[in-house]
Amino acid sequence: MPRPTKHAPERGNARIRLLEAARDIIRAKGFAATSVDDLCKAADVTKGAFFHHFASKEALGVAAADFWAETTSAFFEAAPYHGPTDPLARLLAYVAFRKAIIQGEIAEFTCLVGTLAQETYASAPDIRDACARSIFGHTATLETDIEAARQSRGITADWTAASLARHTQTVIQGAFVLAKAASDPALARESLDHLDRYIRHLFHPAEEDAA
Amino acid sequence: MPRPTKHAPERGNARIRLLEAARDIIRAKGFAATSVDDLCKAADVTKGAFFHHFASKEALGVAAADFWAETTSAFFEAAPYHGPTDPLARLLAYVAFRKAIIQGEIAEFTCLVGTLAQETYASAPDIRDACARSIFGHTATLETDIEAARQSRGITADWTAASLARHTQTVIQGAFVLAKAASDPALARESLDHLDRYIRHLFHPAEEDAA
DNA sequence: ACGCATACCGACCGTATGGTATGTTATTTT
DNA sequence: AAAATAACATACCATACGGTCGGTATGCGT
């Protein structure tokens, strides 16, 4: 009987439960509108536990962005879009995958670090920088495929792999903004279709594509 | 001597000064992090004046989004990109104009209703809807040119003028998110270059463009 | 001159907030 | 087993917040 205590709500994982609560609540309400008490209630921990694990609310923001970076990079590494052997096919599979996971509640498919960066860019530089690390760390995972596709197709146009990788995130982040404004995930998927078409155009400038 | 009162700070325009303060401060700090006192100080009015003009902070949010819609639509109507007679040239001039005005401090060129919608989409539907009216009202001004360009070029691809108009806003909104995360307006301009290239590709599928 | 509406003032209120101080319990170290 | 430490829990605090309220000043129609 290793846990004979009265009601003990699983000691030792309060930190992770707080980070998960932050991930979910901040995406729905924003950082400033999310109170420490909100997070404690959702994570079923006390305020003492919160300030034991995080020096301040701002420190939690940084940790939440880092946590997002870790979990999403693991998620994308395990995602099926790495299947194709051709780098361009992988890139297009990535875009298709990003489109496919835009489903259900808006707060469930949108990006924590995008909203967090937008809200804190001027008032909390350390949170902003953690968000930037997450976003641009993710774009970096696309660059090698883009560069390989560029070279295999002999593309010499005046854009770089890094800039196209960033542009995919631009479209994804913007798609979330429009979806939120209209309360309609379809608007986000629509822009990913344009992104898909753009990428195909970049690599097949002449012919019309047939998936 | 029509105004012999002690120090009277220009009676009658407190409402507009509050809306201007809201426009500037909310873009920098976000809606939730902007207090009513912040706005009153910046607008140099008292709290009494604030709640005389706005029933609540949320009502100010709606009014600020409406004010943004009015001022920006006037701004874009007066902008020089309407010069070209060809509708495609006007569309490209629009994109170039959007790129050209991305300068200076981030809070000065970014979009109020984009950040506001992202922050309030779940918690304040009336603010969100006001933001949506502003965003999609603006996209509507692009649709006629896009549709005219489509027809003059005989484009029959499977995208609509409305969806391309929305996509331009997606790219612009996303560009602001990346610029904020990286504290670098150049990232926003970079994505507008991709948008420009995409539009040219859509309307000149074969040839390489020469401005 | 009078009445009235609009515009504004500034003190005040109840609550929510981020944060702290101190105590208690489990876990690891020695 | 003892000591040290990490992981909580609880009560509390100062302040900041959105909002209210009674009052004042100014312009305008009559």
Side-chain angles (χ1 to χ4, degrees):
Chain A
M1 215 179 265
R3 193 170 288 122
T5 30
K6 42 189 174 180
H7 193 241
E10 301 169 81
R11 195 183 176 84
N13 49 10
R15 181 187 154 90
I16 288 177
R17 291 218 309 283
L18 280 166
L19 290 172
E20 288 169 344
R23 176 209 337 126
D24 298 337
I25 301 181
I26 293 173
R27 280 196 289 178
K29 309 207 308 181
F31 180 72
T34 299
S35 72
V36 173
D37 283 335
D38 286 341
L39 296 170
C40 291
K41 272 170 206 153
D44 195 33
V45 302
T46 62
K47 229 170 189 180
F50 183 98
F51 284 100
H52 171 71
H53 288 288
F54 306 103
S56 64
K57 191 192 174 189
E58 191 171 327
L60 167 110
V62 175
D66 289 341
F67 181 69
W68 178 263
E70 291 161 22
T71 54
T72 56
S73 70
F75 172 73
F76 284 116
E77 272 171 34
Y81 66 85
H82 298 100
T85 53
D86 178 57
L88 174 58
R90 274 201 298 274
L91 178 60
L92 292 171
Y94 167 78
V95 175
F97 179 70
R98 293 307 305 254
K99 182 185 172 189
I101 58 177
I102 296 175
Q103 285 171 355
E105 288 298 306
I106 290 181
E108 287 165 16
F109 63 77
T110 50
C111 177
L112 202 232
V113 292
T115 71
L116 203 46
Q118 187 138 14
E119 212 179 327
T120 63
Y121 78 99
S123 48
D126 46 355
I127 297 180
R128 180 203 60 202
D129 291 342
C131 294
R133 285 195 299 274
S134 177
I135 293 173
F136 298 109
H138 183 62
T139 66
T141 68
L142 302 173
E143 279 183 42
T144 51
D145 277 349
I146 295 173
E147 185 56 35
R150 246 182 92 98
Q151 297 199 345
S152 75
R153 263 77 181 177
I155 306 290
T156 58
D158 62 334
W159 51 269
T160 65
S163 98
L164 180 57
R166 285 191 290 266
H167 184 61
T168 62
Q169 294 316 297
T170 294
V171 173
I172 289 166
Q173 295 293 340
F176 294 154
V177 174
L178 281 258
K180 285 172 185 168
S183 297
D184 186 0
L187 292 199
R189 290 190 287 265
E190 175 183 76
S191 266
L192 284 189
D193 286 338
H194 283 288
L195 177 61
D196 177 90
R197 190 163 17 235
Y198 176 52
I199 294 172
R200 290 179 193 274
H201 271 305
L202 283 180
F203 289 99
H204 310 289
E207 74 218 62
E208 290 296 275
D209 48 83
Chain B
M1 220 179 260
R3 195 170 286 122
T5 31
K6 39 187 175 180
H7 194 240
E10 301 169 81
R11 194 185 176 82
N13 49 9
R15 181 187 153 91
I16 288 176
R17 291 217 309 283
L18 280 166
L19 290 172
E20 288 169 345
R23 181 215 325 131
D24 298 338
I25 301 181
I26 293 173
R27 281 197 289 177
K29 309 207 310 180
F31 181 71
T34 299
S35 73
V36 173
D37 284 334
D38 286 340
L39 297 170
C40 292
K41 271 170 207 155
D44 196 33
V45 304
T46 62
K47 227 167 188 179
F50 183 99
F51 285 101
H52 171 71
H53 289 288
F54 307 103
S56 64
K57 190 191 172 187
E58 189 170 327
L60 166 108
V62 174
D66 289 342
F67 181 69
W68 179 263
E70 291 160 22
T71 53
T72 57
S73 72
F75 172 73
F76 284 115
E77 273 171 35
Y81 66 83
H82 299 99
T85 53
D86 177 57
L88 175 58
R90 273 202 298 275
L91 178 60
L92 293 172
Y94 167 78
V95 175
F97 180 70
R98 293 307 304 255
K99 183 185 171 188
I101 59 178
I102 295 175
Q103 284 172 356
E105 288 298 305
I106 289 182
E108 286 164 18
F109 65 76
T110 51
C111 177
L112 203 230
V113 292
T115 71
L116 204 45
Q118 187 137 14
E119 213 179 326
T120 63
Y121 78 100
S123 48
D126 46 354
I127 297 179
R128 179 202 59 202
D129 292 343
C131 294
R133 285 195 299 275
S134 177
I135 292 172
F136 298 110
H138 182 63
T139 67
T141 68
L142 303 173
E143 279 183 41
T144 50
D145 275 349
I146 295 173
E147 184 56 34
R150 246 181 92 98
Q151 296 197 347
S152 75
R153 263 78 180 178
I155 306 288
T156 58
D158 62 336
W159 51 269
T160 65
S163 96
L164 181 58
R166 285 190 291 267
H167 184 61
T168 62
Q169 294 315 297
T170 293
V171 173
I172 289 165
Q173 295 293 341
F176 293 154
V177 174
L178 281 257
K180 285 173 185 169
S183 297
D184 185 1
L187 291 199
R189 289 190 289 265
E190 175 183 75
S191 268
L192 284 189
D193 286 337
H194 283 288
L195 177 61
D196 177 89
R197 187 161 21 232
Y198 176 51
I199 293 172
R200 290 178 193 272
H201 271 306
L202 283 178
F203 290 98
H204 310 289
E207 75 217 63
E208 290 297 273
D209 46 83

